[in-house]
Amino acid sequence: MRIPILKRLFVAFMLLLPFNLAAQQLVPIDSTIQEHVFGAKQIKWLPDSNGSLTLQQVMSQEYDRKFNENKAYYPQNYNLHTWYWYKIKVRFNQTMKGRDCLIEFFDQTTDDITAFIPDTNGNYISSRAGAKFNFKDRLFRHKNFEFKVLNYKKGEYTYYFRVKSVEQVNVIIVYRRIDYFIHYALTEYLTYGLFYGMILIFCFHNLLMFMAVKRLQYLFYVLYILSVGFYEMSVDGIAFQYLWPKSPAWNEYAYGIALYMISVFALIFTKELLQVKTRAKSLYNLINVVLVLRTLYFIYCFLFNKSFFIYKFVDAIPLAVAFYTGIKVWSEGFKPARFFVLGYTFLFIGFLIKLSVVLGLFPILNRVLGHYSLSLSFVLEMVFLSFSIGDQVRLLRREKDEAQEETIRQMAINVELKDSINRELEHQVKIRTAEVIQKSDEIIKQSHIIEEQNEELLATNEQLELQAAEISRMNQLLQKDNIQLKTNIEKVTDARALSTELSFEEFSAKYPDQETCYKFLSELKWANGYQCSRCGNNNYCGGRMPYSRRCTKCTYEESALQKTIFHNNRIPINKAFYLVYLMYTSKGTISSHQLSEKLEIRQSTCWSYAIRVKKAMAERKKESKKGSTQGWSKLVIENS
């Protein structure tokens, strides 16, 4: 009888042996341990496909054998439609009475966690938390999920956790003492404050730069940084805590919206900063295609299947395109791209470190560096992208200085040419004057001859008449030359007023008073003939106002200012002329403060006039052709 009994015991021992060899690692805890992160071999997991298992079933010997050993550093919910049970074993080496502690779950996107905490009598107390519940229902007002650990006596205890999430998460289980948790939470929130503070500072600085220079790259950079901040707040739980604590449904796809905004604004900012349209046309077209495809994917996810937002790797494609574009443009000699490439290099390094943490490849990185690597890389990227923008501004400033030097050189050439023309004209006048004097001497000599030769008086008189006619003809020629000289001087002055920057005193020499300005506007406005704006009649007479015209058919009177940019003008007309002239010569870059100083007019008035002139400049941009002689006057007449 003893032999069969021994055989049965041996068989039972052999059946239990494999499970004993794969026994779960016990974690010893005492009062000196402030924190412990449960890793490989310390966590076991069990899938619950339909979520029907109870705690009693899971604790039974049948299901206890079905628990799988965690081989990765952190277990994950590989099947998003399945519930998972996790268990850990802890041995308290001393009584923990009076030493409050807790169990914490890190991944803030975990939807549902039910913790079964044993008490000193072996009974289990359940508590529930997760991203799908309102934030106020948590044990602590903290972005992570915490469960209170009871005051234990010395001994071994097993904890069970039932977890469900709509996206793949790392099940990071941490034991902490309450006093250490408070220190850790304060430090972490201070770090987040510094991070988001840097984002706001970068945004404010670049927004001011956009308002100052009106370059779109600053605006897109601000939108990109805000998207980064929105994404970080969505994934680290800060947004849930402070922005939508009563709307947990947002947690499922808020990060997806943020990732879409990051991809879109990163690509648009890349196009603007690196001047991709002119430097790499093929990459410009590629970026546009990626923008369209990413937008279509986002619309599909948002309207039809929000679960697709979990595929975050999709956004690696737009960022990789931007990274490659920066490398390509830099290799072709565009220096500001070097900081752009350096910033994206840090971003991809941070992404790889974060990926290694998720996959548990390098456990040594699973602490501060691994957890905050992506945030740190975003900060470094923002810094180097700011350097890239500054480098481009310096490059543009240098090009502007070179253009100004070229303009000054051309102006000097024009002045020299004008002086040369004036000297030539003076020389011609002297020659003409000498000829006239010579002719006069000949006439005097002829007169003496006539006096001495009275007998030839009639013949001499006839000759004198001929000579007088010749003198008259030459005087007329001289008068025409003088008129032509005056006209040439006026044309040179006009050309200078239309192409170069004059002071107000120099400009006023051409347009000294209201009558001169009205006359100029009248000639410019009706250069192609008069036509009544009401009845279409072509005949007119003078109106009551200077240089206005009144229709002879319907008696409608139209002033010289009407249908021009100076309509309803409230400042001196010659100053209004000079304001348009300054806006034209500076290509619209002169500020309203500079206009106010030059014209001695209020800055608000200069600003409103500048807006009107900029609009006219934009409308006539296509009419601006090389060699045009209209200059600033082409902005005066409004398009009908």
Side-chain angles (χ1 to χ4, degrees):
M1 292 297 295
R2 292 182 179 179
I3 295 177
I5 293 175
L6 292 175
K7 288 183 178 180
R8 291 176 183 178
L9 291 175
F10 178 76
V11 171
F13 175 77
M14 294 302 294
L15 290 173
L16 294 175
L17 184 60
F19 300 103
N20 294 333
L21 292 176
Q24 184 173 6
Q25 183 177 341
L26 197 66
V27 178
I29 300 292
D30 57 32
S31 60
T32 62
I33 297 178
Q34 296 180 332
E35 176 188 56
H36 178 77
V37 181
F38 293 87
K41 297 182 180 181
Q42 297 177 353
I43 304 175
K44 281 195 171 186
W45 57 275
L46 173 68
D48 183 3
S49 58
N50 53 13
S52 60
L53 294 179
T54 63
L55 177 64
Q56 287 72 22
Q57 290 177 312
V58 171
M59 294 175 61
S60 66
Q61 186 175 8
E62 176 186 358
Y63 281 95
D64 188 68
R65 296 176 180 178
K66 295 181 180 180
F67 270 89
N68 300 288
E69 183 180 353
N70 176 39
K71 296 181 180 180
Y73 194 81
Y74 294 130
Q76 295 180 342
N77 56 330
Y78 299 100
N79 189 341
L80 303 181
H81 302 287
T82 300
W83 291 81
Y84 285 86
W85 286 83
Y86 300 94
K87 72 171 182 176
I88 58 175
K89 290 186 177 181
V90 175
R91 182 179 67 244
F92 289 94
N93 295 329
Q94 61 187 82
T95 300
M96 302 300 291
K97 186 176 181 180
R99 301 181 185 275
D100 294 335
C101 50
L102 52 82
I103 296 293
E104 182 177 16
F105 281 72
F106 261 75
D107 202 314
Q108 299 85 11
T109 58
T110 308
D111 289 304
D112 194 344
I113 305 173
T114 302
F116 297 93
I117 308 296
D119 59 14
T120 54
N121 297 323
N123 299 318
Y124 280 86
I125 301 174
S126 66
S127 56
R128 199 171 185 182
K132 75 174 186 179
F133 303 107
N134 289 341
F135 191 84
K136 65 181 182 61
D137 298 332
R138 300 189 181 187
L139 176 64
F140 296 104
R141 297 295 176 90
H142 187 257
K143 65 185 187 65
N144 297 340
F145 309 111
E146 291 84 21
F147 301 95
K148 184 73 177 293
V149 174
L150 305 177
N151 293 326
Y152 289 129
K153 298 178 181 179
K154 182 178 179 180
E156 296 181 3
Y157 299 89
T158 302
Y159 300 82
Y160 292 90
F161 305 96
R162 184 171 177 264
V163 178
K164 177 71 165 61
S165 183
V166 296
E167 63 176 280
Q168 191 165 338
V169 297
N170 284 331
V171 181
I172 306 175
I173 305 175
V174 182
Y175 163 85
R176 280 198 179 97
R177 279 177 24 190
I178 293 291
D179 54 348
Y180 183 77
F181 167 74
I182 295 174
H183 165 74
Y184 153 78
L186 292 175
T187 304
E188 186 178 36
Y189 275 87
L190 175 62
T191 304
Y192 281 128
L194 294 175
F195 174 70
Y196 294 118
M198 292 182 65
I199 287 180
L200 292 178
I201 292 173
F202 274 107
C203 289
F204 183 71
H205 169 74
N206 286 278
L207 187 60
L208 291 179
M209 292 296 294
F210 168 71
M211 297 172 64
V213 302
K214 299 297 186 296
R215 293 186 65 85
L216 288 177
Q217 62 187 27
Y218 289 102
L219 179 61
F220 291 128
Y221 183 51
V222 169
L223 295 174
Y224 172 70
I225 295 175
L226 289 176
S227 302
V228 170
F230 183 46
Y231 170 73
E232 287 293 318
M233 292 181 70
S234 299
V235 298
D236 61 26
I238 298 296
F240 186 29
Q241 180 174 356
Y242 294 106
L243 300 184
W244 53 80
K246 296 182 180 180
S247 302
W250 260 93
N251 292 322
E252 295 184 8
Y253 53 89
Y255 70 91
I257 298 175
L259 282 175
Y260 167 72
M261 294 168 59
I262 289 176
S263 298
V264 169
F265 291 127
L267 289 176
I268 298 177
F269 171 69
T270 300
K271 291 197 299 183
E272 289 292 329
L273 177 68
L274 303 181
Q275 304 171 6
V276 181
K277 187 174 183 180
T278 57
R279 298 181 180 276
K281 186 66 176 180
S282 59
L283 288 176
Y284 179 80
N285 295 330
L286 175 61
I287 290 175
N288 289 334
V289 170
V290 173
L291 282 172
V292 172
L293 295 177
R294 182 63 181 89
T295 301
L296 293 175
Y297 180 76
F298 170 76
I299 294 174
Y300 176 78
C301 293
F302 189 79
L303 298 180
F304 303 104
N305 193 345
K306 293 183 177 62
S307 63
F308 275 35
F309 278 130
I310 65 173
Y311 301 118
K312 301 178 183 179
F313 65 87
V314 171
D315 292 281
I317 299 174
L319 297 180
V321 170
F323 192 17
Y324 176 74
T325 301
I327 296 174
K328 180 68 175 177
V329 174
W330 182 24
S331 65
E332 294 179 356
F334 188 58
K335 290 186 177 180
R338 64 187 187 275
F339 291 113
F340 181 90
V341 173
L342 189 58
Y344 268 86
T345 300
F346 281 108
L347 179 62
F348 272 88
I349 291 175
F351 174 78
L352 293 176
I353 294 176
K354 188 70 174 181
L355 182 63
S356 69
V357 171
V358 173
L359 299 178
L361 299 179
F362 302 102
I364 192 174
L365 298 176
N366 287 334
R367 301 308 302 239
V368 176
L369 178 61
H371 191 69
Y372 300 104
S373 60
L374 199 57
S375 300
L376 181 61
S377 65
F378 273 130
V379 172
L380 294 175
E381 184 203 24
M382 287 188 292
V383 171
F384 285 107
L385 288 183
S386 297
F387 286 164
S388 182
I389 294 176
D391 202 18
Q392 187 189 49
V393 170
R394 286 192 294 271
L395 180 62
L396 293 175
R397 185 179 300 167
R398 185 176 64 185
E399 292 177 352
K400 180 180 179 181
D401 293 341
E402 292 175 354
Q404 288 179 345
E405 292 176 358
E406 179 64 21
T407 301
I408 294 172
R409 187 181 67 82
Q410 189 62 41
M411 290 174 60
I413 294 175
N414 293 341
V415 171
E416 184 179 353
L417 179 60
K418 175 189 172 184
D419 294 339
S420 175
I421 293 174
N422 289 337
R423 287 194 296 269
E424 181 65 23
L425 291 175
E426 291 175 357
H427 179 66
Q428 293 294 332
V429 170
K430 289 180 180 179
I431 293 176
R432 294 287 184 177
T433 304
E435 290 178 356
V436 171
I437 294 174
Q438 184 179 359
K439 294 293 183 181
S440 299
D441 292 339
E442 292 178 358
I443 292 173
I444 294 173
K445 289 180 181 179
Q446 291 294 333
S447 299
H448 290 163
I449 294 174
I450 291 173
E451 291 177 355
E452 294 175 356
Q453 299 176 355
N454 291 328
E455 67 275 6
E456 298 176 357
L457 181 60
L458 294 176
T460 305
N461 286 336
E462 292 177 356
Q463 186 177 4
L464 286 175
E465 290 177 358
L466 294 174
Q467 290 179 352
E470 178 68 14
I471 291 172
S472 177
R473 186 182 68 81
M474 293 188 67
N475 285 334
Q476 290 177 357
L477 292 174
L478 181 60
Q479 185 177 4
K480 290 181 179 180
D481 290 339
N482 289 334
I483 292 174
Q484 183 65 30
L485 174 61
K486 181 179 179 181
T487 302
N488 290 338
I489 293 175
E490 289 180 351
K491 287 183 178 180
V492 170
T493 303
D494 289 343
R496 186 184 177 198
L498 292 172
S499 60
T500 61
E501 182 173 344
L502 305 175
S503 66
F504 182 70
E505 290 75 19
E506 292 175 324
F507 191 86
S508 296
K510 178 62 181 174
Y511 308 100
D513 53 22
Q514 176 176 302
E515 183 176 357
T516 304
C517 297
Y518 279 20
K519 180 181 178 183
F520 172 78
L521 287 178
S522 176
E523 294 173 351
L524 185 63
K525 180 178 178 180
W526 291 298
N528 297 325
Y530 170 83
Q531 185 179 31
C532 180
S533 59
R534 286 191 177 179
C535 65
N537 182 32
N538 295 326
N539 297 322
Y540 70 95
C541 61
R544 291 173 297 177
M545 298 296 293
Y547 295 98
S548 65
R549 297 186 180 185
R550 177 180 295 174
C551 178
T552 59
K553 184 177 180 180
C554 67
T555 70
Y556 174 70
E557 182 176 347
E558 184 173 338
S559 68
L561 294 179
Q562 194 170 346
K563 293 185 178 180
T564 69
I565 200 172
F566 305 110
H567 190 51
N568 296 327
N569 183 56
R570 291 184 176 85
I571 63 174
I573 188 64
N574 58 342
K575 288 192 176 183
F577 269 36
Y578 189 55
L579 188 147
V580 176
Y581 165 76
L582 290 175
M583 289 293 296
Y584 174 78
T585 55
S586 66
K587 297 183 179 180
T589 58
I590 187 170
S591 67
S592 58
H593 295 283
Q594 293 174 311
L595 291 173
S596 177
E597 292 176 358
K598 289 178 179 287
L599 297 174
E600 298 181 353
I601 299 174
R602 289 186 305 174
Q603 185 266 337
S604 60
T605 303
C606 293
W607 180 83
S608 62
Y609 268 86
I611 294 298
R612 192 184 306 174
V613 175
K614 285 183 179 180
K615 181 180 178 182
M617 292 175 70
E619 292 174 352
R620 291 159 177 78
K621 186 174 182 181
K622 295 182 179 180
E623 301 171 9
S624 300
K625 298 180 180 179
K626 187 175 182 181
S628 175
T629 59
Q630 283 186 293
W632 64 273
S633 64
K634 69 181 179 181
L635 305 176
V636 172
I637 305 301
E638 295 182 347
N639 290 331
S640 58

